[in-house]
Amino acid sequence: MDEGHWAGRNVNFLIEYLVLGAVLFGVVAAMQAIAPRLAIPDSTALSILGIGIGASYFAVLSFAPHAAQFLLSPLINPVLSADAYLWLFLPPLMMQAALAIDVRNFLRDAAPILLLAIVAVVVATVCVGVALSAFVPYGIVACLLLGAIVGETDAAAVIAVFRDVGAPSRLIRLVEGESLLNDAAALALASVFLAMLVGDTADATLVSGLKILGCAFVGGAVVGLIVGRLAASVLPLLGDIASAETAFTMALPYPLYLLANDVLHVSGVIAIVCAGLVINSLGRTRLSPANWRHLQMVWEQIAVLAGAIVFLLAAIQVPHLLSGESWRDLWLLAVALVAAFAARLLVLFVMLPVLTRMRLSEPIPAGYRLVIAWGGLRGALTLILALGVAQNAAIPNDARTFISVTAVGFALFSLLVNGSTLQWLIRRLGLNGLTRQEEAIQNQALALSTRAVDAALVQMNTALRADPQTLADVANEYRRDLSIGTAGSDLESTVSERDRLVVSLITLATHERDLVPEYGDGVISIANLDAMMRNTGHMIEAARAEGRVGYHRAAREILELPLRYRVAKLVYRVAGFARPLAAAMVERFELLVCRRMVLERLRGFNSMRLEPLVGEHMASVLNSVISMRISAAELEIAELRNQFGSAAIALERRLLVLRALKEGRRSLEAMAAERVISKTVFNRVRNAIDQAWATAIQRPRAHLQQPSPVPMPRIPMTSERKTA
């Protein structure tokens, strides 16, 4: 009987929370649809709704008690503690943020990002703490704890606004990077000051707190880097199955958070972020492009739901937390707001220029810095930490109320005031405008789009047989609707030749980076894929900094003989042992042949896509750049063919067979998706292709043709230097 009673209670408990989950998902979907129409961030809309739910609970309880108890009571009186919210929602949010960021650009702006993510949190903590300590009797530690709680910023709301108004990509990148790491800084500082406030003898001194903070960051980074590297090595073993690869990455955040936080006593957030960054950096060459897109899409959906739900759940608690607020609390809130904003201005307008003068950061325009300062919205983490303080009976009651009420008020002000005015500020500063290059390219793209639309309308009208005047009216209406800055659409007359060349070279290198992962799945080795990805990244940075000269120099880097090759050559020369050199030459031959194929596809991209945008003359210049790189690769390939003989032919044949099988599989999947062939036919042909792939994937053994030491290949670079 007791067992049946407890089983019934468990079933009712499960039903309540399943219904609650469905309600939360529905509310999140509705608010995400409504928020863009109101021109406010999702988090602002969710906070308004959450506060409304929390405030209306008692009204609903009076006229519909059963519904209030069934639907709203679990929200208003949650079984979960604030720590449980962190455990449930923070790991997936941090993992998705690390997987989504552009790692190379993140590293390029590492100095300003670290300043904003760590130093800015410390400065805000100190400024808020010192300012409030002059007005309250709760002691400096309680004020510093409050400063740490409001020191973090929530990037999700700000980035959504930035993207809606077309803010520059670097502005988005800086805010993303700041938010990626400042949660860990705020959590670490808050835990130190909380331990000091409640009198934990192990952590109650400032010196021990700083040691804990340093160890947490460094230890978390080391753990995350190791786990991320191990995870990246496991991904290729999962059989190129997208669902398996995604599920494996989903299995990482919670155990890693537990290992770092509770076992190794380091920062679990930093561990997850570092692991995610490593997987982000290496995963693109270990997963097929389609599987990588699938992984990111799934993680983005998880993060959207987790972020929205935790924000809504935290916002619902706001009316309860603010129930004892007085006019004096509003004065203290004003002090905290002014101190925090002054701290951000200090970091952005005093400390950040120092990094530029030290050449640790590219200059950041004043408008960017002002938007970053005003866009420092406080999000779900601030509300959760405030809730945790309110639930902590070890903190004196007056101090507990002061910290939680001020922190919640701070978060609400930033969301409702800063969040609702951020779009206006960006437009006021003109940061949503386009550069000369971007505007010229936009106008060229519109002109090309208009031609394509005209052709499509003519083709469609052959089936509709509409009146020719109707066809002309539709075409004119399309031109009128998209007439965005059509004046001066000639790229050659609007932008200097050097600027056009730089933009074009960056576009070429970016497309080349996108092509490289298509040669994964064992077609070439992961080491070669990584080398090519790194090299394209260097080309992008060098073209941006030095134009054509830098692009050529970076492109030549991959032709230099790697250390493994030089060591194997030395072993062969000294001991006559040929196998290491033959293996190194196979790797190099594979790399060069793959690079040659990528460059041929890049030539087609230039003629088909870039030429209509940048003009015939610039496309001709780009074609000469590509041809020069192809010639350099062919010289190296010819040298290696002389060494391999028939083995070189076998290696080339292998690459062609694998490429053919890959294209055949892609064509087969397209026919199955369009219902041209049945599932049975698809499975049978796919099995045949998979068997052929398993046979062809084996690399043939290569033997040196000459018994004498192999001379180091030399590639004449005179023509490249002249062109550069």
Side-chain angles (χ1 to χ4, degrees):
M1 183 68 180
D2 288 341
E3 290 182 1
H5 172 71
W6 281 108
R9 286 192 60 184
N10 289 336
V11 169
N12 290 335
F13 178 84
L14 179 61
I15 291 173
E16 287 182 10
Y17 276 85
L18 287 175
V19 172
L20 174 62
V23 171
L24 286 173
F25 284 139
V27 169
V28 168
M31 295 311 298
Q32 287 178 338
I34 294 171
R37 301 178 185 180
L38 301 176
I40 59 175
D42 291 352
S43 55
T44 300
L46 287 167
S47 64
I48 294 172
L49 178 64
I51 294 168
I53 292 173
S56 63
Y57 169 67
F58 294 102
V60 175
L61 189 64
S62 63
F63 66 84
H66 182 71
Q69 289 292 337
F70 186 70
L71 293 177
L72 299 181
S73 182
L75 296 174
I76 305 300
N77 303 302
V79 177
L80 299 177
S81 65
D83 288 342
Y85 283 127
L86 293 179
W87 265 96
L88 280 174
F89 298 108
L90 198 58
L93 288 172
M94 291 295 99
M95 177 62 82
Q96 187 275 333
L99 289 174
I101 201 167
D102 187 330
V103 176
R104 180 163 294 279
N105 285 329
F106 174 84
L107 295 175
R108 178 173 158 228
D109 276 322
I113 285 173
L114 289 174
L115 179 72
L116 291 171
I118 298 175
V119 177
V121 173
V122 175
V123 172
T125 299
V126 173
C127 287
V128 172
V130 171
L132 285 172
S133 65
F135 300 97
V136 296
Y138 310 120
I140 185 65
V141 175
C143 296
L144 290 173
L145 174 58
L146 173 60
I149 291 174
V150 301
E152 66 87 30
T153 58
D154 178 20
V158 181
I159 291 170
V161 173
F162 284 175
R163 287 180 174 145
D164 286 343
V165 300
S169 57
R170 192 182 183 208
L171 186 55
I172 296 174
R173 184 167 67 245
L174 290 170
V175 175
E176 278 182 329
E178 176 190 10
S179 181
L180 191 64
L181 298 174
N182 71 1
D183 285 351
L187 280 171
L189 284 171
S191 63
V192 168
F193 293 126
L194 181 62
M196 296 172 66
L197 187 63
V198 300
D200 189 329
T201 55
D203 306 328
T205 67
L206 186 59
V207 174
S208 64
L210 291 174
K211 288 181 180 178
I212 292 171
L213 186 62
C215 291
F217 268 81
V218 175
V222 171
V223 172
L225 293 173
I226 293 172
V227 171
R229 192 65 182 84
L230 292 174
S233 65
V234 171
L235 287 173
L237 307 178
L238 299 177
D240 195 32
I241 300 171
S243 57
E245 294 160 350
T246 303
F248 175 70
T249 59
M250 292 170 66
L252 290 175
Y254 291 112
L256 179 54
Y257 193 75
L258 173 65
L259 172 68
N261 257 21
D262 291 4
V263 177
L264 301 177
H265 303 293
V266 296
S267 173
V269 174
I270 290 293
I272 291 174
V273 167
C274 289
L277 289 174
V278 172
I279 295 172
N280 184 350
S281 177
L282 302 178
R284 298 173 190 271
T285 57
R286 285 150 178 80
L287 275 63
S288 67
N291 288 9
W292 180 253
R293 288 192 297 270
H294 175 267
L295 183 147
Q296 288 203 307
M297 182 182 67
V298 172
W299 268 109
E300 183 178 358
Q301 185 62 33
I302 291 172
V304 166
L305 291 175
I309 289 173
V310 69
F311 211 102
L312 183 61
L313 291 174
I316 288 172
Q317 304 299 317
V318 167
H320 172 70
L321 292 174
L322 295 181
S323 58
E325 188 175 11
S326 64
W327 288 107
R328 181 174 178 273
D329 294 320
L330 292 178
W331 158 247
L332 295 177
L333 172 61
V335 173
L337 289 167
V338 171
F341 189 65
R344 286 186 73 78
L345 292 177
L346 174 65
V347 171
L348 287 162
F349 287 89
V350 177
M351 297 183 180
L352 198 54
V354 173
L355 292 182
T356 303
R357 287 195 291 271
M358 295 172 64
R359 297 184 179 180
L360 296 175
S361 169
E362 296 178 17
I364 299 175
Y368 282 31
R369 286 177 273 161
L370 184 58
V371 168
I372 292 173
W374 188 251
L377 275 63
R378 271 56 177 181
L381 182 61
T382 296
L383 294 176
I384 291 171
L385 291 176
L387 181 61
V389 170
Q391 295 174 349
N392 193 331
I395 302 175
N397 185 61
D398 290 344
R400 190 165 71 229
T401 303
F402 155 69
I403 295 170
S404 59
V405 166
T406 309
V408 170
F410 195 110
L412 290 181
F413 182 90
S414 71
L415 289 167
L416 300 178
V417 178
N418 298 56
S420 61
T421 58
L422 191 56
Q423 285 193 15
W424 172 84
L425 179 62
I426 292 172
R427 292 193 178 100
R428 183 73 176 173
L429 295 173
L431 298 183
N432 60 325
L434 300 177
T435 64
R436 277 192 315 156
Q437 296 95 326
E438 290 171 333
E439 185 174 357
I441 290 174
Q442 169 198 267
N443 293 329
Q444 289 288 91
L446 286 173
L448 293 172
S449 172
T450 301
R451 292 181 214 163
V453 167
D454 288 343
L457 287 174
V458 170
Q459 184 179 4
M460 187 183 300
N461 199 42
T462 58
L464 293 175
R465 297 181 182 178
D467 181 66
Q469 185 59 43
T470 302
L471 182 67
D473 290 343
V474 171
N476 290 331
E477 184 177 347
Y478 176 83
R479 290 187 180 90
R480 185 172 62 252
D481 291 343
L482 293 187
S483 58
I484 308 172
T486 53
S489 62
D490 182 5
L491 192 66
E492 295 187 11
S493 62
T494 308
V495 183
S496 70
E497 183 171 355
R498 185 190 183 282
D499 287 343
R500 283 186 288 125
L501 179 59
V502 169
V503 171
S504 302
L505 290 174
I506 292 172
T507 304
L508 272 185
T510 302
H511 186 66
E512 183 176 350
R513 183 175 62 183
D514 294 338
L515 291 174
V516 169
E518 295 186 16
Y519 296 86
D521 299 335
V523 176
I524 69 171
S525 68
I526 289 176
N528 280 335
L529 286 171
D530 287 341
M532 293 177 71
M533 291 290 281
R534 284 194 302 271
N535 189 235
T536 54
H538 292 163
M539 282 188 278
I540 293 170
E541 296 302 321
R544 184 180 285 114
E546 304 174 62
R548 189 171 180 175
V549 174
Y551 177 89
H552 278 302
R553 189 189 65 252
R556 289 195 298 267
E557 289 175 0
I558 205 167
L559 299 178
E560 298 175 0
L561 294 176
L563 178 62
R564 176 189 176 189
Y565 191 102
R566 296 198 298 270
V567 171
K569 184 173 181 291
L570 179 63
V571 171
Y572 178 55
R573 183 177 288 170
V574 173
F577 190 42
R579 182 172 293 180
L581 182 57
M585 291 176 73
V586 167
E587 284 282 309
R588 185 160 177 77
F589 185 81
E590 195 178 70
L591 170 70
L592 293 168
V593 170
C594 180
R595 187 178 181 86
R596 175 72 171 77
M597 291 190 289
V598 169
L599 289 172
E600 281 295 344
R601 294 178 65 185
L602 206 60
R603 201 202 303 256
F605 172 77
N606 177 47
S607 62
M608 295 292 293
R609 296 294 184 185
L610 283 184
E611 184 173 343
L613 282 175
V614 300
E616 185 177 347
H617 170 68
M618 184 56 62
S620 176
V621 173
L622 296 176
N623 191 60
S624 67
V625 169
I626 297 171
S627 298
M628 185 186 309
R629 293 180 58 197
I630 290 175
S631 298
E634 285 178 339
L635 284 173
E636 283 269 11
I637 292 170
E639 291 280 351
L640 292 173
R641 278 200 187 105
N642 290 334
Q643 302 299 320
F644 281 136
S646 60
I649 298 174
L651 284 167
E652 289 175 327
R653 181 183 181 279
R654 170 186 174 273
L655 290 174
L656 289 173
V657 168
L658 291 175
R659 186 67 187 172
L661 291 172
K662 203 166 188 177
E663 289 299 322
R665 185 187 295 163
R666 184 179 301 171
S667 174
L668 185 71
E669 290 170 350
M671 287 188 287
E674 295 169 357
R675 302 294 192 272
V676 176
I677 59 175
S678 67
K679 189 70 173 177
T680 303
V681 172
F682 170 76
N683 288 334
R684 288 189 177 184
V685 181
R686 186 187 60 182
N687 289 338
I689 290 178
D690 289 344
Q691 290 176 6
W693 181 277
T695 302
I697 201 71
Q698 302 298 324
R699 288 180 177 82
R701 287 197 174 187
H703 302 282
L704 297 177
Q705 295 288 88
Q706 302 175 1
S708 58
V710 181
M712 183 178 295
R714 291 189 46 144
I715 301 171
M717 297 296 180
T718 307
S719 60
E720 291 191 30
R721 292 195 186 98
K722 286 181 180 178
T723 308

